[in-house]
Amino acid sequence: MSLVRSNLFLDIDFTLRRQFNKESFRPFQREIILAALEGYDVFVQAATSFGKSLCFQLPAVVDRGITIVISPLLSLMMNQVEALRAANVDARTLNSNTPMAERDYIYQDLATGHPLTRLLYVTPELCSGEHFRKRLKLVHEQQELARIAVDEAHCISEWGHDFRKDFKRLSWFRETFPDVPIMCLTATANELVRQDVLSTLGLGQLNRGGGGGGGGGSRLKTFTTTAHRPNLHLEVRFTSDEANDRYDDFVTWLQNVYARRTANERRAELEAAGDRVDNVPGIIYTISRDECESLAAALRNDGIGARPFHAKLSREAKEETLAQWIAGNPGYAIIVATTAFGMGIDKDNVRFVVHWRLPKSFEGYYQEAGRAGRDGNASYCFLYYSREDRDRVCNLVTRDAGGKDGSGAPISANGRARLQSLNKLVAYCENTSSCRHAAVCAYFGETQVPECDYACDWHKDPHDLKRRMTKGLASEEWVSTQREEGRYDEYHWSE
Ligand SMILES: Nc1ncnc2c1ncn2[C@@H]1O[C@H](COP(=O)(O)OP(=O)(O)OP(=O)(O)O)[C@@H](O)[C@H]1O
């Protein structure tokens, strides 16, 4: 069990400034960090860009022993490890891309039983391997296993949109090391997912004495904050196959943004700050590699700095694109990406996120839109919605779920959850009678209606929203005729 110190308050403020170069804690971060350091299991659900990573990184630096961080995405791990190393924290990652020499070093470090590594980022797959497990047992025997942190914890639950089988096997940690605290973090869990995560990992079981955490009471502390991101302007733009007007609509919007930046006063401000008119970083999410390439090329052709990003590009090409975009270099203002580009992207000044097509889940939409405005400044998130896309995505998700493919296999719990999530997203898009922010918060089970300062299309102009929907969408009759003719059957999704 981790060491509890009397001067914790001093330690964490000092470490925040010295090691993480941050002035003060954001709301709840201090409480979460203290709960972790006191040895509680901690469940954190907080909005995108809340600053969840700090909640396990800071305790790992202050505490003795090693923290194992389980994360579903290689890119996410690498970004975090890089940032920690730049801050002089001994953080490492063990995954399929780790060079042999580094791998050997890490295993030797663990074999000492007193590792120097503070944070070790691993994949859930690695945690299932005997070799790794043996090393952790050794570390645990020496009382040096400080904490297990499970990032993107919704991946544990079959009810989650991103269920991963190997996440479920993480139950091994509590079974094997009942005294080691576990911290779970997610931005996207509903009540069902939360309960599933807690029970799978064995969180919140009664404390059988010893160490911190409740002294015989519950050893779990749950922190659930609102999903609300008030600085994001949420909007749905309606379209149809026949209108096929996404491109013109988007370019017109972007040119208006540039025009506002060239207005006299604004231009002077930009010049004084050494900024460029077209330096308006954004992300456009598409669903196929082909569309990603062709859209980026079309934008470049029109003089807009856009680059594709998808799984089939070489690692070097992806790294180059990412580095240039993060640096805000000319020609790299917009990333046109598949969902291969998402979680873990932490550029703070992304001014817009556009969903070119309907995403596959509500959570996916929220996560991806959440890449915008991480600096707290106003940012746009709009989603192009058409009923034809709705049917195509529905076909796809149903097929993925095991239905309608001729096999007759029953749809799994996860399949049902995915379909439900998509249906909720469709309802969100077609809703023209309430606030978008309220709908997002309600989706994640919040009962309080968040304040929306004209930051959604409904609050801005409810009549116009209704009008745009009626005018923009194909009628249900037309769509259903097309559906009967099998017009929406081929739709290629590729990451
Ligand atoms: N106390 C703080 N003061 C200033 N910046 C902070 C603080 N805590 C975190 N941040 C910054 O906020 C940004 C978002 O943090 P982080 O990546 O941990 O978000 P997150 O909650 O994991 O979001 P997401 O779920 O969207 O990935 C990072 O750039 C981080 O450095």
Side-chain angles (χ1 to χ4, degrees), residues 16 22-26 29 46-54 76 80 151-152 186-187 229 343-346 348 367 370-371 374:
L16 181 74
K22 311 221 183 298
E23 282 299 307
S24 57
F25 287 107
R26 289 182 177 161
Q29 280 181 328
T48 48
S49 88
F50 166 89
K52 292 184 279 299
S53 320
L54 188 81
L76 199 149
Q80 292 203 9
D151 206 2
E152 311 296 346
T186 177
R229 295 278 314 276
M343 287 192 280
I345 299 299
D346 186 32
D348 66 352
Q367 272 278 3
R371 301 306 105 195
R374 293 165 84 84

Side-chain angles (χ1 to χ4, degrees), residues 3-21:
L3 192 71
V4 183
R5 299 180 186 162
S6 54
N7 57 345
L8 270 182
F9 278 95
L10 286 179
D11 278 1
I12 67 171
D13 284 310
F14 180 66
T15 308
L16 181 74
R17 283 194 300 274
R18 191 199 55 186
Q19 207 109 35
F20 292 92
N21 202 18

Side-chain angles (χ1 to χ4, degrees), residues 139-160:
V139 174
H140 179 248
E141 275 162 24
Q142 300 302 319
Q143 301 197 339
E144 292 276 4
L145 188 54
R147 179 171 303 101
I148 312 297
V150 185
D151 206 2
E152 311 296 346
H154 53 268
C155 297
I156 291 172
S157 172
E158 280 196 59
W159 293 102

Side-chain angles (χ1 to χ4, degrees), residues 149-184:
V150 185
D151 206 2
E152 311 296 346
H154 53 268
C155 297
I156 291 172
S157 172
E158 280 196 59
W159 293 102
H161 61 112
D162 242 347
F163 171 58
R164 298 256 299 259
K165 272 201 187 86
D166 283 286
F167 263 83
K168 223 170 176 139
R169 300 198 184 108
L170 299 179
S171 54
W172 176 81
F173 281 102
R174 181 47 40 96
E175 287 151 21
T176 316
F177 310 122
D179 57 329
V180 175
I182 298 178
M183 181 186 262
C184 290

Side-chain angles (χ1 to χ4, degrees), residues 41-56:
D41 288 335
V42 179
F43 181 90
V44 180
Q45 177 164 353
T48 48
S49 88
F50 166 89
K52 292 184 279 299
S53 320
L54 188 81
C55 298
F56 59 82

